[in-house]
Amino acid sequence: MIHHIPNVLSKEQVAEFRTLMHSANWVNGKVTAGTLSASVKNNQQLSEQDPLTHELSELVMKAIWNHPMFQAAALPHQMIPPLFNRYDVQESFGFHVDNSIRLIRGTQQQMRTDLSCTLFLSEPDEYDGGELVIEDTYGYHEVKLPAGDVVLYPATSLHEVSSITRGTRFASFFWVQSLIRDDSKRHLLFNLDESVRSLRMQHGDGYAEVVKLTNIYHNLMRMWSEL
């Protein structure tokens, strides 16, 4: 399932990021691409070793980890520290699939990538093209969100960033290992959680159906989680 998570960063935070990124040292984006992905990847990114990458990553991780919709949709176990990229005119990243296993930066720990995330750092009217195109069983979905918003989608999806024809597209990207590996199970739990939240708002925490559905939610978590 594809989730739009709004307001992960405020407009003020985005402006700060952009000021710092404006004078940053950008490297060829192929440095973090796999063999097949590298053949269709034409963009720039901040080096993983750049202190600015570490500084901005920490801010993104804190913001996204504390976002209630992210917690409900991703059910995160651990996360790859975010990276940052830019696409200038005629740059793009053709259809590819993300690596299934990645090293967590600065460690020898491997992590399964269940979910891919893109945090938009440019407003949609700042550039033409540059849509994130995600393929699923229902076809192709073009995503171009306001700066500060995140799209969260299964890492199993084929996806691309279409060619830029005007302006520059800045973004952050990262991956999540979920407590629930299967996307369809995560989707069921998300919908159940949404229903419980709605009932709580209407009737309060002591409402009998809220208690019953909360019990079902946690028992499904016990059954399906990989901890």
Side-chain angles (χ1 to χ4, degrees), residues 119-153:
L119 167 64
F120 288 79
L121 295 171
S122 297
E123 297 293 354
D125 61 2
E126 291 186 83
Y127 59 100
D128 294 330
E131 293 84 3
L132 173 62
V133 183
I134 303 166
E135 181 187 24
D136 66 12
T137 53
Y138 300 101
Y140 296 92
H141 307 273
E142 293 187 353
V143 183
K144 194 173 186 177
L145 300 181
D149 289 11
V150 163
V151 61
L152 176 73
Y153 59 98

Side-chain angles (χ1 to χ4, degrees), residues 7 20 27 29 32 41 47 60 89 107 124 153 182 184 204:
N7 304 315
L20 292 168
V27 300
T32 56
K41 188 176 186 181
S47 168
V60 172
V89 172
T107 76
Y153 59 98
D182 185 82
S184 61

Side-chain angles (χ1 to χ4, degrees), residues 42-205:
N42 177 28
N43 69 357
Q44 305 157 65
Q45 65 187 53
L46 293 181
S47 168
E48 290 190 77
Q49 287 73 45
D50 192 321
L52 180 59
T53 300
H54 294 257
E55 178 185 345
L56 299 182
S57 286
E58 288 295 324
L59 295 172
V60 172
M61 288 180 73
K62 182 178 179 180
I64 191 71
W65 199 268
N66 291 326
H67 198 291
M69 186 175 176
F70 173 76
Q71 285 289 333
L75 297 170
H77 175 46
Q78 52 187 345
M79 189 165 82
I80 296 283
L83 295 169
F84 300 86
N85 61 20
R86 65 181 288 170
Y87 291 80
D88 291 327
V89 172
Q90 297 187 340
E91 292 185 333
S92 63
F93 194 171
F95 273 107
H96 62 284
V97 65
D98 292 334
N99 290 343
S100 54
I101 305 293
R102 297 187 72 95
L103 279 176
I104 297 176
R105 185 169 68 229
T107 76
Q108 293 302 309
Q109 182 182 351
Q110 293 182 313
M111 193 195 92
R112 188 183 67 245
T113 57
D114 297 321
L115 293 156
S116 298
C117 309
T118 296
L119 167 64
F120 288 79
L121 295 171
S122 297
E123 297 293 354
D125 61 2
E126 291 186 83
Y127 59 100
D128 294 330
E131 293 84 3
L132 173 62
V133 183
I134 303 166
E135 181 187 24
D136 66 12
T137 53
Y138 300 101
Y140 296 92
H141 307 273
E142 293 187 353
V143 183
K144 194 173 186 177
L145 300 181
D149 289 11
V150 163
V151 61
L152 176 73
Y153 59 98
T156 52
S157 307
L158 284 173
H159 55 282
E160 72 165 357
V161 176
S162 63
S163 182
I164 295 286
T165 59
R166 178 188 64 87
T168 298
R169 174 194 190 267
F170 291 93
S172 176
F173 59 102
F174 50 99
W175 296 272
V176 175
Q177 181 174 336
S178 177
L179 293 167
I180 308 297
R181 183 193 300 231
D182 185 82
D183 183 58
S184 61
K185 291 175 180 176
R186 280 197 308 272
H187 182 36
L188 285 172
L189 286 166
F190 177 76
N191 286 339
L192 179 55
D193 185 51
E194 290 280 282
S195 297
V196 171
R197 287 172 186 267
S198 178
L199 285 171
R200 288 177 66 190
M201 289 179 64
Q202 294 176 55
H203 302 287
D205 291 350

Side-chain angles (χ1 to χ4, degrees), residues 13-33:
Q13 287 176 306
V14 169
E16 267 186 70
F17 274 47
R18 290 284 296 276
T19 297
L20 292 168
M21 295 166 77
H22 181 71
S23 57
N25 294 316
W26 296 90
V27 300
N28 193 309
K30 294 181 189 294
V31 296
T32 56

Side-chain angles (χ1 to χ4, degrees), residues 1-19:
M1 184 177 181
I2 300 171
H3 294 275
H4 172 194
I5 304 177
N7 304 315
V8 172
L9 294 184
S10 68
K11 298 303 182 186
E12 292 76 18
Q13 287 176 306
V14 169
E16 267 186 70
F17 274 47
R18 290 284 296 276
T19 297

